[in-house]
Amino acid sequence: MPTQSQITASTCCYCGVGCGVLIEHDGEHILGVQGDPQHPANFGKLCSKGATLHLTGDLDARAMHPELRLGKGLARSRTDWDSALDHAANVFAETIREHGPDSVAFYISGQLLTEDYYAFNKLARALVGTNNIDSNSRLCMSSAVVGYKRSLGADAPPCNYEDIEQSDCVLIVGSNMAFAHPVLFRRLEEAKAQRPHMQIIVVDPRRTDTCELADLHLAILPGSDVALFHGLLHILLWEGWADRRFIEAHTEGFEALKSLVHAYNPQMVSELCGISVDSLQRCARLIGNAPSFLSLWCMGLNQSTAGSAKNSALINLHLATGQIGKVGSGPFSLTGQPNAMGGRETGSLSNLLPGHREAANAEHRQEVADYWGVDSLPHTTGLTAIELFEAVRSGHIKALWIACTNPAQSLPDQNKVHEALAACPFVVVQEAFFTTETCHYADLLLPAASWGEKEGTVTNSERRVSHVRRAVPAPAEARPDWAITTDFARRLEQLLRPGLPSLFAFDCPQALFEEYKHLTAQRDLDLSGLSYAILDNQGPQQWPFPAGATGGTPRLYGDDRFPTANGRAQFIAEPFRAAQEKRDTRYSLTLNTGRLRDQWHGMSRTGSAARLFSHAPEALLSLHPDELRRRRLNSGDLVKIRSRRGSLIVPVQADDAVRSGQAYLPMHWGNRFLKGLGTNVLTQPAFDPLSKQPELKHAGIELDKVELPWHFFALVEGQVQTRFEALRPLFEDFAYANLTLTGRERPALLIRAACAIAPAPEVLAQIDQTLGLSDGPVLAYDDPRKAVGKRVRIEDGRITAIRLAGETAARDWLKGIWESGSADTELRRWLLAPRSTPPENSATTAVGRTLCNCLNVSHEAICAGIAQGLDLNGLKQTLKCGTNCGSCVPEIKRLLATQPVAVNA
Ligand code: SF4
């Protein structure tokens, strides 16, 4: 029974900033969300994604019951938990007996809680006896892991969020922090406003919203980061800005690096990086003369075949200047996912073991085996994400367990990933949303609890552990991930080691945490002094927090000692290596990928909220206006993007934030919202030799303009998720189809599609049927000779569904009428006339992009305000835009810098 409104403190489930949230609920349903003023990550702030958490997770998109497929090609049917998990245990046990433990694999997620991770690790390594357990963090942070370990001795980001605010010089590399870590960016914005002398340098091939805060933007050529860092070090040494005392007392390997960077003179680096010598020297001067220097980075460094080298070359700058272990100083990776850090801590990459141990280290293996009470742990090297799916494709992996991640959208080279999943004899998917691309391949679908429904812990980017609290029960039969994993493990151990005491006698997530934390004792991340009670009484804490400690550790390496064998940090001397795919005559553009402001990963959650599409409703390929001109393209033209691995059709848009010779496509689109296999059908699986992280940021591509004269447009209100599922397969034969949501008060499904010739009448009839346009109060005009038609459903004087086929010139006009909420006589006249263009002199136009999502302020309204002479404060006062979460402020500032102001304003 729902009770009165209550508040439960928890955390946001999106990015690694790890904001605290207050969930308002009635014991059964989540009603609202606010930032937690007590949480030290965000002090009450949330970004556009966090602030709309309660609007996401539509129950119509949730997996509710276990479903089992009894044979390839058959549909899955509902089953119960006992049958589902017994079946899974039998298949896994049989596979392990017949083909050995390395014939099965687990692919898990940076979204899981620490307790979930720990259960999976014990299951794979102690019970199954395989190191084939990898996580989607491999695509995200594994180069940072290698960077920290090689240079500093442990995978431990040394800084905290206050260091960002207190620094005198912040270098942001390969991170559109304004979109990807917005609340932390807000903190940086405020710090810069209070301490304007703080210098901010942004290194990014694109001029992103993050650059709005920059004193210096270096738009380096993609992949040239190592050359840049070596060039900066060259200047720092030449100018005498290095800290010789620190280098001699606390580091080793300097001489080798010094002789390497000798060759990286400013002229050479300027050419390699595509930036001016002046800007390079200015960057070095800012770093070299800053009392404190801090660097932030993310996927731009990590997702590269030289990701490990990039991380170490950046850390070299901190070691050379002694800028580490002090207030406002140090290398600080921005973690992508909410608990990627927890994954690294619990050993959730195939080469790791719990407590920052190594699977390849015999001593580490024995320590963990002894703690778990098993004879030994597997010594065979585990497969990393790309290798793992290749092993699935080649038939070596015969049973695959995927939890809380969507590899059929997120891995590179999607054609091969889909082939692998289709060929795998047994695929288990443990997932909250049945709508993900990967669920299509599940032989067994296990419904998992989601945000607000689970308890456990997470660690954010600054090593801070928070208690994630459950607000409401999971819907229907969905269960928390730790419970699914341990229940399966208990069934499997009865088959693999009958009669022995269970390794999985956990009855709550706290029991998992209590067992796990002792495995970290006396390791660099020591959590042995932490407990749920301490987190509840003292709030989120930063590790290390050893037994007996009264508080966490805000900053590491203040004593200049590093967790290496001799206590010294290590300079790494590796030359610059260019990205794997260089531009050539066949593939003349470099494709960069990245995030949108209001979407998260493959949109399994954010894609269920119409409001979150209003900033960027469709997948667009951004190209510099000169590049468009050169290719005789206009914004809105459809192009086929080809890489060496696959192709995709999307519209292009002019964007002078992207340099000529480059292109940019957001990473969120997969096969669900866009026809084709999404952005990652183009990206490449080549990976860094040490971190095994793939080069998702650089793919050689070529474009061909496509002429698809037959256009389709539809908009329909009501039963959005259900209609989405029914309609999506009907667009499989269209060359281009983009399905999205729209509308704040009345969410609607919006479809744009195109093909060379009209589809079969039966397909159109089926689409009309699903849109609710076959009967009832529907106005229709059809011209079968021209394969053109228009249909509008009007209920209570309001449009509730629209479909244009063949010709869609009136689509924005019709959408505007739908948004206005009334259907006038002009519309009726237009409907019954053969013309397809909107009536002349019509005042109705569709509302365009929403720039401020919280206060629903459109791009047009803000541009009109700027034209009238309003500055940022004026816009905030008049339109209220940017006054809530602030995620739109960088874009407003950009418009202020570029939009014309009326002469008499
Ligand atoms: Fe969530 Fe936004 Fe905070 Fe990231 S910055 S944790 S997405 S509210």
Side-chain angles (χ1 to χ4, degrees), residues 348-407:
S348 299
L349 293 172
S350 59
N351 52 311
L352 303 178
L353 289 176
H356 282 177
R357 290 178 175 85
E358 300 291 324
N361 181 316
E363 211 176 302
H364 287 179
R365 285 200 304 273
Q366 203 52 52
E367 283 168 9
V368 180
D370 291 346
Y371 185 74
W372 281 343
V374 295
D375 292 341
S376 61
L377 295 186
H379 61 269
T380 324
T381 310
L383 298 170
T384 63
I386 302 295
E387 300 164 325
L388 191 156
F389 277 83
E390 192 47 41
V392 174
R393 199 170 74 96
S394 63
H396 291 97
I397 301 286
K398 297 172 195 308
L400 174 63
W401 192 296
I402 299 167
C404 201
T405 184
N406 188 13

Coordinates of all heavy atoms in Angstrom, one line a residue, residues 348-407:
S348 N 36.9 -6.1 -11.2 CA 35.9 -6.4 -12.3 C 36.4 -6.2 -13.7 O 35.7 -5.9 -14.6 CB 34.6 -5.7 -12.0 OG 34.1 -6.2 -10.8
L349 N 37.7 -6.2 -13.8 CA 38.3 -6.3 -15.2 C 39.1 -7.6 -15.2 O 39.6 -8.1 -14.1 CB 39.3 -5.1 -15.4 CG 38.6 -3.7 -15.5 CD1 39.7 -2.6 -15.6 CD2 37.7 -3.7 -16.8
S350 N 39.1 -8.3 -16.3 CA 39.6 -9.7 -16.3 C 41.0 -9.8 -15.8 O 41.3 -10.9 -15.3 CB 39.5 -10.2 -17.8 OG 40.3 -9.4 -18.6
N351 N 41.8 -8.8 -15.9 CA 43.2 -8.9 -15.4 C 43.4 -8.6 -13.9 O 44.5 -8.6 -13.4 CB 44.1 -8.0 -16.2 CG 43.6 -6.5 -16.2 OD1 42.4 -6.3 -16.5 ND2 44.4 -5.6 -15.9
L352 N 42.3 -8.2 -13.2 CA 42.4 -7.8 -11.8 C 41.8 -8.8 -10.9 O 41.1 -9.7 -11.3 CB 41.6 -6.4 -11.6 CG 42.1 -5.3 -12.5 CD1 41.2 -4.0 -12.2 CD2 43.5 -4.9 -12.3
L353 N 42.0 -8.6 -9.6 CA 41.4 -9.4 -8.5 C 40.9 -8.4 -7.5 O 41.4 -7.2 -7.5 CB 42.4 -10.4 -7.9 CG 42.8 -11.6 -8.8 CD1 43.8 -12.4 -8.0 CD2 41.6 -12.4 -9.1
P354 N 40.1 -8.7 -6.6 CA 39.6 -7.8 -5.6 C 40.7 -7.2 -4.8 O 41.7 -7.8 -4.5 CB 38.7 -8.6 -4.7 CG 38.2 -9.7 -5.5 CD 39.4 -10.0 -6.5
G355 N 40.5 -5.9 -4.4 CA 41.5 -5.2 -3.6 C 42.7 -4.7 -4.4 O 43.8 -4.7 -3.9
H356 N 42.4 -4.3 -5.6 CA 43.5 -3.8 -6.5 C 44.6 -4.8 -6.6 O 45.8 -4.5 -6.6 CB 44.1 -2.4 -6.0 CG 43.2 -1.2 -6.3 ND1 43.5 0.0 -5.9 CD2 42.0 -1.2 -7.0 CE1 42.5 0.9 -6.3 NE2 41.6 0.2 -7.0
R357 N 44.3 -6.1 -6.8 CA 45.3 -7.1 -7.0 C 45.3 -7.5 -8.5 O 44.4 -7.2 -9.3 CB 45.0 -8.3 -6.2 CG 45.2 -8.1 -4.7 CD 44.8 -9.4 -3.9 NE 45.1 -9.3 -2.5 CZ 44.3 -8.7 -1.6 NH1 43.2 -8.2 -1.9 NH2 44.7 -8.7 -0.3
E358 N 46.3 -8.3 -8.9 CA 46.5 -8.7 -10.3 C 46.2 -10.1 -10.4 O 46.7 -11.0 -9.7 CB 48.0 -8.4 -10.7 CG 48.4 -7.0 -10.6 CD 47.8 -6.1 -11.6 OE1 47.5 -6.6 -12.7 OE2 47.5 -5.0 -11.2
A359 N 45.4 -10.5 -11.4 CA 45.1 -11.9 -11.7 C 46.4 -12.7 -12.1 O 46.5 -13.9 -11.9 CB 44.0 -12.0 -12.8
A360 N 47.3 -12.0 -12.7 CA 48.6 -12.6 -13.2 C 49.6 -12.8 -12.0 O 50.6 -13.5 -12.2 CB 49.2 -11.8 -14.3
N361 N 49.3 -12.3 -10.9 CA 50.3 -12.4 -9.7 C 49.9 -13.6 -8.8 O 48.9 -13.6 -8.2 CB 50.2 -11.0 -9.0 CG 51.2 -11.0 -7.8 OD1 51.3 -11.9 -7.1 ND2 51.8 -9.8 -7.7
A362 N 50.8 -14.6 -8.8 CA 50.5 -15.8 -8.0 C 50.3 -15.5 -6.6 O 49.4 -16.2 -5.9 CB 51.7 -16.8 -8.2
E363 N 51.0 -14.6 -6.0 CA 50.8 -14.3 -4.6 C 49.4 -13.7 -4.3 O 48.7 -14.0 -3.4 CB 51.9 -13.3 -4.2 CG 52.4 -13.3 -2.8 CD 53.5 -12.3 -2.6 OE1 54.5 -12.4 -3.3 OE2 53.3 -11.4 -1.8
H364 N 49.0 -12.8 -5.2 CA 47.7 -12.2 -5.1 C 46.6 -13.2 -5.3 O 45.7 -13.2 -4.5 CB 47.5 -11.1 -6.2 CG 48.3 -9.8 -6.0 ND1 48.3 -8.8 -6.8 CD2 49.1 -9.5 -4.9 CE1 49.1 -7.8 -6.3 NE2 49.6 -8.2 -5.2
R365 N 46.8 -14.1 -6.2 CA 45.8 -15.2 -6.4 C 45.6 -16.0 -5.2 O 44.5 -16.3 -4.7 CB 46.2 -16.1 -7.6 CG 46.0 -15.5 -9.0 CD 45.9 -16.5 -10.0 NE 47.0 -17.4 -10.1 CZ 48.2 -17.2 -10.8 NH1 48.3 -16.1 -11.5 NH2 49.2 -18.0 -10.8
Q366 N 46.8 -16.3 -4.6 CA 46.7 -17.2 -3.4 C 46.1 -16.5 -2.2 O 45.3 -17.1 -1.4 CB 48.1 -17.7 -3.0 CG 48.1 -19.0 -2.2 CD 47.2 -20.1 -2.8 OE1 47.4 -20.4 -4.0 NE2 46.2 -20.6 -2.1
E367 N 46.4 -15.2 -2.1 CA 45.8 -14.4 -1.0 C 44.2 -14.4 -1.1 O 43.5 -14.6 -0.1 CB 46.2 -12.9 -1.0 CG 47.6 -12.7 -0.5 CD 48.2 -11.3 -0.9 OE1 47.4 -10.4 -1.4 OE2 49.4 -11.0 -0.7
V368 N 43.8 -14.2 -2.3 CA 42.3 -14.2 -2.5 C 41.7 -15.6 -2.3 O 40.7 -15.8 -1.7 CB 41.9 -13.6 -3.8 CG1 40.4 -13.5 -4.0 CG2 42.5 -12.1 -3.9
A369 N 42.4 -16.6 -2.9 CA 41.9 -18.0 -2.8 C 41.8 -18.4 -1.3 O 40.8 -19.0 -0.9 CB 42.8 -18.9 -3.5
D370 N 42.8 -18.1 -0.5 CA 42.8 -18.4 0.9 C 41.6 -17.7 1.6 O 40.9 -18.3 2.4 CB 44.1 -18.0 1.6 CG 45.3 -18.8 1.1 OD1 45.0 -19.9 0.5 OD2 46.5 -18.4 1.3
Y371 N 41.4 -16.4 1.3 CA 40.4 -15.7 1.9 C 39.0 -16.3 1.5 O 38.1 -16.4 2.4 CB 40.4 -14.2 1.5 CG 39.4 -13.4 2.2 CD1 39.6 -13.0 3.5 CD2 38.3 -12.9 1.5 CE1 38.7 -12.2 4.2 CE2 37.3 -12.1 2.2 CZ 37.5 -11.8 3.5 OH 36.6 -11.0 4.2
W372 N 38.9 -16.8 0.3 CA 37.6 -17.3 -0.1 C 37.4 -18.8 0.3 O 36.4 -19.4 0.1 CB 37.5 -17.2 -1.6 CG 37.0 -15.8 -2.0 CD1 36.5 -14.8 -1.3 CD2 37.1 -15.2 -3.4 NE1 36.2 -13.7 -2.0 CE2 36.6 -13.9 -3.3 CE3 37.6 -15.7 -4.6 CZ2 36.5 -13.1 -4.4 CZ3 37.5 -14.9 -5.7 CH2 37.0 -13.6 -5.6
G373 N 38.5 -19.4 0.7 CA 38.5 -20.8 1.2 C 38.4 -21.8 0.0 O 37.8 -22.8 0.1
V374 N 39.1 -21.4 -1.1 CA 39.2 -22.4 -2.2 C 40.7 -22.6 -2.4 O 41.5 -21.9 -2.0 CB 38.6 -21.8 -3.5 CG1 37.1 -21.6 -3.4 CG2 39.2 -20.5 -3.9
D375 N 41.0 -23.7 -3.1 CA 42.4 -24.1 -3.3 C 43.2 -23.1 -4.1 O 44.3 -22.8 -3.7 CB 42.5 -25.5 -4.0 CG 42.0 -26.6 -3.1 OD1 41.9 -26.4 -1.9 OD2 41.6 -27.7 -3.6
S376 N 42.6 -22.7 -5.1 CA 43.4 -21.8 -6.0 C 42.4 -21.0 -6.9 O 41.2 -21.3 -7.0 CB 44.3 -22.6 -6.9 OG 43.6 -23.5 -7.7
L377 N 43.0 -20.0 -7.5 CA 42.2 -19.2 -8.5 C 42.8 -19.5 -9.9 O 44.0 -19.8 -10.0 CB 42.2 -17.7 -8.2 CG 41.5 -17.3 -6.9 CD1 41.5 -15.8 -6.8 CD2 40.1 -17.8 -6.8
P378 N 42.0 -19.3 -10.9 CA 42.6 -19.6 -12.3 C 43.7 -18.7 -12.6 O 43.7 -17.5 -12.3 CB 41.4 -19.3 -13.2 CG 40.5 -18.4 -12.4 CD 40.7 -18.8 -11.0
H379 N 44.7 -19.3 -13.3 CA 45.9 -18.5 -13.7 C 45.9 -18.1 -15.1 O 46.6 -17.3 -15.6 CB 47.2 -19.2 -13.3 CG 47.4 -20.5 -14.0 ND1 46.9 -21.7 -13.5 CD2 47.9 -20.8 -15.2 CE1 47.2 -22.6 -14.3 NE2 47.7 -22.1 -15.4
T380 N 45.0 -18.7 -15.9 CA 44.9 -18.4 -17.3 C 44.4 -17.0 -17.5 O 43.5 -16.5 -16.8 CB 43.8 -19.3 -18.0 OG1 43.9 -20.6 -17.5 CG2 44.0 -19.3 -19.5
T381 N 45.0 -16.3 -18.4 CA 44.6 -14.9 -18.6 C 43.2 -14.8 -19.0 O 42.7 -15.5 -19.9 CB 45.5 -14.3 -19.8 OG1 46.8 -14.6 -19.5 CG2 45.3 -12.8 -19.8
G382 N 42.4 -13.8 -18.4 CA 41.0 -13.6 -18.8 C 40.9 -12.8 -20.1 O 41.8 -12.0 -20.4
L383 N 39.8 -12.9 -20.8 CA 39.6 -12.2 -22.0 C 39.1 -10.8 -21.7 O 38.2 -10.6 -20.8 CB 38.6 -12.9 -22.9 CG 39.1 -14.3 -23.4 CD1 38.0 -15.0 -24.1 CD2 40.3 -14.1 -24.3
T384 N 39.6 -9.8 -22.4 CA 39.0 -8.4 -22.2 C 37.9 -8.2 -23.2 O 37.7 -9.0 -24.2 CB 40.1 -7.4 -22.5 OG1 40.6 -7.5 -23.8 CG2 41.3 -7.6 -21.5
A385 N 37.1 -7.2 -23.1 CA 35.9 -7.0 -23.8 C 35.9 -7.4 -25.3 O 35.1 -8.2 -25.8 CB 35.3 -5.6 -23.6
I386 N 36.9 -6.8 -26.0 CA 36.9 -7.0 -27.4 C 37.3 -8.4 -27.7 O 36.7 -9.1 -28.6 CB 37.9 -6.0 -28.1 CG1 37.6 -4.6 -27.8 CG2 38.1 -6.3 -29.6 CD1 36.3 -4.1 -28.4
E387 N 38.3 -8.9 -27.0 CA 38.7 -10.3 -27.1 C 37.6 -11.3 -26.8 O 37.4 -12.3 -27.5 CB 39.9 -10.6 -26.2 CG 41.2 -9.8 -26.5 CD 42.1 -9.8 -25.3 OE1 41.7 -9.9 -24.2 OE2 43.3 -9.7 -25.6
L388 N 36.9 -10.9 -25.8 CA 35.8 -11.8 -25.3 C 34.7 -12.0 -26.3 O 34.3 -13.1 -26.6 CB 35.2 -11.2 -24.0 CG 34.3 -12.0 -23.1 CD1 34.4 -11.5 -21.7 CD2 32.9 -12.0 -23.6
F389 N 34.3 -10.9 -26.9 CA 33.2 -11.0 -27.9 C 33.7 -11.7 -29.2 O 33.0 -12.3 -29.9 CB 32.5 -9.7 -28.2 CG 31.5 -9.4 -27.1 CD1 31.8 -8.9 -25.9 CD2 30.2 -9.7 -27.3 CE1 30.9 -8.7 -24.9 CE2 29.2 -9.6 -26.4 CZ 29.6 -9.0 -25.1
E390 N 35.0 -11.5 -29.5 CA 35.6 -12.2 -30.6 C 35.6 -13.7 -30.3 O 35.3 -14.6 -31.2 CB 37.1 -11.7 -30.9 CG 37.7 -12.1 -32.2 CD 36.8 -12.0 -33.4 OE1 36.1 -11.0 -33.5 OE2 36.8 -12.9 -34.2
A391 N 35.9 -14.1 -29.1 CA 35.9 -15.5 -28.7 C 34.4 -16.1 -28.7 O 34.2 -17.2 -29.0 CB 36.5 -15.7 -27.3
V392 N 33.5 -15.2 -28.4 CA 32.1 -15.6 -28.6 C 31.8 -15.9 -30.1 O 31.2 -16.9 -30.5 CB 31.1 -14.6 -28.0 CG1 29.6 -15.0 -28.3 CG2 31.3 -14.4 -26.5
R393 N 32.2 -15.0 -30.9 CA 32.0 -15.1 -32.4 C 32.6 -16.3 -32.9 O 32.1 -17.0 -33.8 CB 32.5 -13.8 -33.1 CG 31.9 -13.6 -34.4 CD 32.2 -12.2 -35.0 NE 33.6 -12.1 -35.4 CZ 34.0 -12.3 -36.6 NH1 33.1 -12.5 -37.6 NH2 35.3 -12.2 -36.9
S394 N 33.8 -16.6 -32.5 CA 34.5 -17.8 -33.0 C 34.1 -19.1 -32.4 O 34.6 -20.1 -32.8 CB 36.1 -17.6 -32.9 OG 36.4 -17.6 -31.5
G395 N 33.2 -19.0 -31.4 CA 32.6 -20.3 -30.9 C 33.4 -20.8 -29.6 O 33.0 -21.8 -29.1
H396 N 34.4 -20.1 -29.2 CA 35.2 -20.5 -28.0 C 34.4 -20.3 -26.7 O 34.5 -21.1 -25.8 CB 36.5 -19.9 -27.9 CG 37.5 -20.3 -29.0 ND1 37.7 -19.6 -30.2 CD2 38.2 -21.5 -29.1 CE1 38.5 -20.3 -31.0 NE2 38.8 -21.4 -30.4
I397 N 33.6 -19.2 -26.7 CA 32.8 -19.0 -25.5 C 31.4 -19.5 -25.9 O 30.8 -19.1 -26.9 CB 32.6 -17.5 -25.2 CG1 34.0 -16.9 -24.9 CG2 31.7 -17.2 -24.1 CD1 34.6 -17.2 -23.6
K398 N 30.8 -20.4 -25.1 CA 29.6 -21.0 -25.4 C 28.4 -20.6 -24.5 O 27.3 -21.0 -24.8 CB 29.8 -22.6 -25.4 CG 30.8 -23.0 -26.5 CD 31.2 -24.5 -26.3 CE 32.4 -24.8 -27.1 NZ 32.4 -24.3 -28.5
A399 N 28.8 -20.0 -23.4 CA 27.7 -19.5 -22.5 C 28.2 -18.2 -22.0 O 29.2 -18.0 -21.5 CB 27.4 -20.5 -21.4
L400 N 27.3 -17.1 -22.2 CA 27.7 -15.8 -21.9 C 26.7 -15.1 -21.0 O 25.5 -15.2 -21.3 CB 27.9 -15.0 -23.2 CG 28.1 -13.5 -23.1 CD1 29.5 -13.2 -22.5 CD2 28.1 -12.8 -24.5
W401 N 27.1 -14.5 -19.9 CA 26.2 -13.9 -19.0 C 26.5 -12.4 -19.0 O 27.6 -11.9 -18.8 CB 26.5 -14.4 -17.6 CG 25.4 -14.0 -16.6 CD1 25.1 -12.8 -16.1 CD2 24.6 -14.9 -15.8 NE1 24.1 -12.8 -15.2 CE2 23.8 -14.1 -15.0 CE3 24.4 -16.3 -15.8 CZ2 22.8 -14.7 -14.1 CZ3 23.5 -16.9 -15.0 CH2 22.7 -16.1 -14.2
I402 N 25.5 -11.6 -19.4 CA 25.7 -10.1 -19.6 C 24.8 -9.5 -18.5 O 23.6 -9.8 -18.4 CB 25.2 -9.7 -21.0 CG1 26.1 -10.4 -22.1 CG2 25.3 -8.2 -21.1 CD1 25.5 -10.2 -23.5
A403 N 25.4 -8.6 -17.7 CA 24.6 -7.9 -16.7 C 24.7 -6.4 -16.8 O 25.8 -5.8 -16.8 CB 25.1 -8.4 -15.3
C404 N 23.5 -5.8 -16.9 CA 23.4 -4.3 -16.8 C 24.3 -3.6 -17.8 O 24.8 -2.5 -17.5 CB 23.9 -4.0 -15.3 SG 23.3 -2.4 -14.7
T405 N 24.4 -4.1 -19.0 CA 25.2 -3.4 -20.0 C 24.6 -3.8 -21.4 O 24.0 -4.9 -21.5 CB 26.7 -3.6 -19.9 OG1 27.3 -2.8 -20.9 CG2 27.1 -5.1 -20.0
N406 N 24.9 -3.1 -22.4 CA 24.3 -3.2 -23.7 C 25.3 -3.3 -24.8 O 25.5 -2.4 -25.6 CB 23.4 -2.0 -23.9 CG 22.5 -2.1 -25.1 OD1 22.4 -3.2 -25.7 ND2 21.9 -1.0 -25.5
P407 N 26.1 -4.4 -24.8 CA 27.2 -4.5 -25.8 C 26.7 -4.4 -27.2 O 27.5 -4.0 -28.1 CB 27.8 -5.9 -25.5 CG 26.8 -6.7 -24.7 CD 26.0 -5.6 -24.0

